[in-house]
Amino acid sequence: RSMASKIEKKLNVQQAFAELEAITAWFEKEEIDLEEGLAKFERGLELARKLKARLGEVENRVSAIKAKFGDLMDAEPASEEPFN
């Protein structure tokens, strides 16, 4: 993958969170339209599902990286004594 696609994916996550926050704020208004509320609720669930899936992808990638470099992560810290 190119760096641009990684950045785009990150921006999409940020945009999805922002949209989800806006939907939540909309529901906190005094009077809401039922039909619009149903549409926003459905969109919110869709965003939450996509964000959960993306989080799963990130967690899998972190696990793969840890497995790949696990021996480095488990290594004893280097002694601070100077070499003689």
Side-chain angles (χ1 to χ4, degrees), residues 66-79:
K66 282 183 176 180
K68 183 176 180 180
F69 296 102
D71 56 335
L72 293 175
M73 295 175 73
D74 295 335
E76 291 290 323
S79 171

Side-chain angles (χ1 to χ4, degrees), residues 3-83:
M3 186 61 137
S5 67
K6 288 180 184 177
I7 291 171
E8 181 180 326
K9 194 170 268 193
K10 182 177 180 182
L11 290 176
N12 287 342
V13 168
Q14 290 174 343
Q15 289 169 351
F17 272 119
E19 186 178 349
L20 200 51
E21 287 176 347
I23 289 171
T24 301
W26 184 88
F27 275 104
E28 293 173 352
K29 295 188 324 186
E30 295 275 331
E31 297 179 24
I32 60 172
D33 177 72
L34 182 59
E35 291 302 317
E36 188 178 358
L38 286 172
K40 287 187 180 292
F41 182 69
E42 183 176 15
R43 176 66 178 154
L45 289 177
E46 178 185 345
L47 288 167
R49 181 184 57 80
K50 288 180 180 181
L51 288 167
K52 183 179 178 183
R54 179 67 183 123
L55 180 60
E57 291 171 9
V58 170
E59 288 173 343
N60 289 339
R61 181 122 190 256
V62 168
S63 294
I65 292 169
K66 282 183 176 180
K68 183 176 180 180
F69 296 102
D71 56 335
L72 293 175
M73 295 175 73
D74 295 335
E76 291 290 323
S79 171
E80 295 194 20
E81 294 178 21
F83 293 101

